[in-house]
């Protein structure tokens, strides 16, 4: 294989990875934008989405359904369940702590993350489970066939569509406007009649839904899941969110792609042993030298 | 009636929520499906009952918020008065000291070993308490310093044959140094960013330990780490364990002494002030970075010393002992015990380490319980089991005849200064 082809393969691998990171990062960034909380349990929501998909696909598969029908049923169910979990987590672990000092919801979020991980561990299994490939297979033209696979194409296109949908939702709908208002100033939004509780719940629901889509896509692509995948994916997606500037929706998308490429090129050209170290090192460097991220604005602390 | 309806709805919601995960188990290789319907009933009934408890606690919490924040309830006051009675207090402390002192001669070596672990966690908890409880810096990579200490002992012993007592102070210095090294760039960051960066550092250190095989021997770890010696004296197996117990006990007592002195010192009060309100604190002329760095590196010092003790106790270490879960466990000790409170952290460590040992049947539920503790304590009792007592003077209108006197109240971070917009 030529050097150019190797480069392109890594490039598209990074793009695929990056789109998934971006999908999960959106959940972090939206929640952070609205209530200034790092939702540590978000990675777990992504993992639960993937697990629900695995279970539903397994049941439907045993009923002898065809592949496309399984995908069409599995994805919405996984999205609904992940959203329901996101919604419930907010109600239990974060809502009672709205007026508490900042450290309290953060610790509560870490607790929730550990709780959900072990909930899956106990109720399901600690082993890696093989995940059926739900993504449609199609033949690619010859000149790209060696470089990228059909599931990579599906992932990138799906992610792009979802992100375009989210952007227009935030930009053009009434609810999107309410979300932006709450992010700017919660109390003022309340004064002009925005139902802040509802907006926060909706933010968690949308973020969780995106994470579930990401979970189903990547689990199909990689082919196995276990209860721990949410932890690493969560930290990486958070890195992506911070990289782009936390609180900024386009920033999360850009950050996801930058992180995906960084990882792909670092593992492709340097060493694969330290795959996770590159992500963490990037996070640390970004936070030290540009804490506001690529697209974020540095805000001064008000008294 | 309203309550019944609410609880029923909550139960149904959770039955829906947990249905796929709790009921269905799919084996994707053999294409078999196990349906566990009994779990659905279990979830329904327990959520139904728990939702009553939840609402009761919520209503109590709301009442607590409305009440005068200074009013403590009578029972707590009576208990405190009892504890503060000198004779009772001293005899309690004496009884406890005697029990701890003769512990290894009363119980089997198995029990003593467990107690040594608990003591190590007390050291770790007290170290993290400086960082999280006093200075209010959420450090999620605390285990990194623990690993630094453990590997320092293992490697120095392996390559240079240095003994426990030689390495202990070296590890303490090394821990402080690594703490400063890591802390310096990250302490400018806001609280929640700090949490993530320390988490990242913790993972980096573990991954490096795992992958840098030539230096650390990789995932297979280092074995045959010697236990501490006493001027070259040799003990039998049992003697060594008992000696280890007293070494750790002495270190814990040393830790308690230092931490208590620190807490009421100038720097300790600066930490607490910084925790409550950074901006006000800086306006009072406290050097933010230096004060935070001090907390961070002091915490790291204790983690590194605990690491040395851990390596000596188990005589085998590998990177798997230093995962994020370990950091989470130490954090839950601090949260459960009461952030900032020394007695609380000791109690927290004893509960969280000893209980799972004796309730072996529930060992697999250990982590899920830790997670639940963190959430529930933050929601219902953010001050932990033992409220941190802060000495302060305040004016008490109801007892104005007594004038303003120093009354200890636990105005910890629990109901602290709130967030800044």
């Amino acid at each position: 294989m030529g050097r150019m082809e190797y480069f392109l393969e890594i490039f598209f691998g990074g793009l695929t990875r990056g789109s998934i990171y971006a999908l999960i990062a959106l959940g972090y960034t939206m929640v952070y934008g609205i209530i200034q909380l790092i939702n540590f349990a978000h990675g777990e929501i992504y993992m639960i989405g993937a697990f629900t998909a695995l279970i539903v696909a397994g049941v439907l598969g045993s009923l002898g359904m065809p592949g496309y029908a399984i995908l069409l049923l599995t994805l919405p169910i996984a999205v609904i369940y992940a959203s329901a979990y996101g919604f419930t987590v907010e109600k239990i672990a974060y809502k009672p702590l709205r007026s508490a000092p900042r450290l309290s919801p953060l610790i509560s979020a870490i607790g929730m993350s550990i709780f959900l991980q072990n909930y899956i561990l106990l109720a399901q299994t600690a082993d890696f489970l093989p995940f059926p490939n739900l993504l449609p297979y199609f033949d690619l033209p010859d000149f790209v066939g060696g470089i990228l696979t059909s599931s990579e194409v599906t992932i990138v296109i799906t992610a792009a569509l979802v992100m375009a949908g989210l952007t227009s939702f935030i930009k053009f709908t009434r609810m999107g406007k309410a979300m932006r208002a709450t992010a700017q100033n919660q109390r003022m939004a309340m004064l002009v009649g925005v139902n802040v509780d509802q907006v926060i719940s909706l933010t968690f629901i949308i973020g969780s839904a995106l994470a579930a889509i990401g979970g189903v896509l990547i689990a199909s692509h990689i082919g196995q899941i276990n209860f721990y995948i949410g932890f690493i994916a969560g930290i990486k997606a958070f890195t992506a969110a911070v990289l782009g500037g936390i609180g900024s929706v386009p920033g999360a998308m850009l950050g996801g792609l930058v992180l995906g490429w960084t990882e792909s090129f670092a593992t492709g050209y340097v060493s694969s042993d330290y795959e996770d170290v590159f992500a963490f090192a990037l996070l640390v460097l970004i936070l030290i030298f540009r804490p506001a991220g690529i697209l974020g604005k540095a805000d001064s602390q008000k008294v | 009636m309203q309550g019944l309806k609410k609880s029923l709805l909550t139960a149904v919601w959770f039955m829906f929520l947990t249905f796929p995960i709790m009921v269905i188990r799919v084996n994707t290789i053999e294409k078999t499906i196990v349906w566990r319907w009994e779990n659905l009933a279990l979830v329904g009934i327990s959520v139904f009952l728990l939702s009553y408890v939840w609402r009761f606690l919520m209503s109590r919490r709301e009442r607590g918020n409305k009440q005068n924040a200074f009013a403590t309830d009578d029972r707590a006051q009576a208990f405190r008065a009892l504890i503060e009675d000198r004779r009772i207090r001293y005899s309690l402390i004496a009884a406890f000291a005697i029990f701890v002192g003769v512990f290894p001669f009363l119980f089997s070596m198995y029990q003593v070993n467990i107690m040594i672990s608990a003591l190590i966690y007390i050291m770790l908890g007290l170290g993290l308490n400086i960082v999280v409880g006093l200075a209010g810096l959420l450090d999620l990579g605390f285990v990194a310093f623990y690993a630094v200490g453990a590997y320092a002992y293992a490697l120095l012993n392996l390559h240079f044959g240095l003994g426990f007592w030689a390495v202990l102070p070296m590890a303490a210095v090394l821990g402080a140094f690594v703490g400063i090294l890591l802390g310096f760039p990250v302490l400018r960051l806001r609280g929640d960013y700090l949490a993530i960066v320390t988490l990242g550092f913790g993972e980096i250190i573990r991954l490096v330990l795992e992958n840098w095989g030539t230096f650390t021997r990789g995932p297979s770890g280092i074995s045959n780490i010697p236990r501490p010696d006493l001027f070259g004296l040799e003990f039998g197996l049992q003697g060594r364990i008992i000696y280890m117990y007293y070494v750790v006990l002495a270190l814990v007592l040393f830790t308690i002494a230092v931490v208590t002195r620190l807490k009421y010192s100038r720097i300790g009060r600066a930490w607490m002030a910084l925790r409550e309100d950074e901006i006000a604190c800086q306006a009072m002329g406290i050097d933010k970075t230096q004060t935070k760095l001090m907390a961070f590196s002091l915490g790291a010092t204790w983690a590194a010393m605990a690491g040395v003790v851990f390596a000596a106790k188990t005589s085998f270490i590998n990177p798997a002992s230093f995962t994020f879960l370990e950091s989470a466990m130490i954090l839950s000790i601090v949260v459960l015990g009461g952030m900032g409170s020394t007695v609380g952290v000791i109690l927290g460590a004893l509960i969280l380490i000893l209980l799972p040992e004796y309730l072996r049947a529930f060992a697999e539920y250990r982590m899920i319980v830790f997670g639940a503790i963190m959430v529930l304590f933050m929601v219902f009792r953010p001050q932990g089991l033992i409220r941190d007592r802060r000495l302060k003077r305040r004016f008490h209108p109801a007892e104005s005849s007594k004038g303003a006197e120093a009354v200890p109240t636990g105005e910890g971070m629990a109901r602290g200064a709130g967030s800044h917009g």
Side-chain angles (χ1 to χ4, degrees), chain B residues 122-132 142 255 259 295 298-299 302-303:
Chain B
I122 290 179
M123 268 180 90
L124 285 168
L126 289 173
L128 187 63
N129 192 32
I130 298 175
V131 188
V132 178
F142 197 62
T255 313
V259 168
L298 269 170
W302 257 274

Side-chain angles (χ1 to χ4, degrees), chain A residues 32 38 62 81 84-85 88 96-97 101-103 108 111 114 118-119 123-124 130 238 246 273 283 287-288, chain B residues 13 16-18 21 24-25 28 33 36 61 138 188-190 192-193 196-197 211 328 367 371 375 378 413:
Chain A
Y32 195 91
I38 298 176
S62 76
Y81 266 99
Y85 271 95
T88 313
L97 295 172
R102 274 186 102 128
L103 207 53
S108 177
I114 295 172
N118 285 278
Y119 158 65
Q124 292 285 323
F238 177 78
I246 197 149
D273 285 350
L283 170 70
L287 283 180
I288 291 166
Chain B
W13 172 250
F16 160 75
L17 208 58
T18 55
I21 305 281
I24 315 170
R25 189 185 247 151
T28 36
I33 298 167
R36 300 166 294 176
R61 185 181 116 124
L138 187 53
R188 302 183 301 140
L189 301 172
R190 262 205 330 256
D192 28 15
Y193 279 10
I196 287 275
V197 172
N211 289 312
M367 286 317 294
V375 176
M378 279 300 118
M413 58 176 308

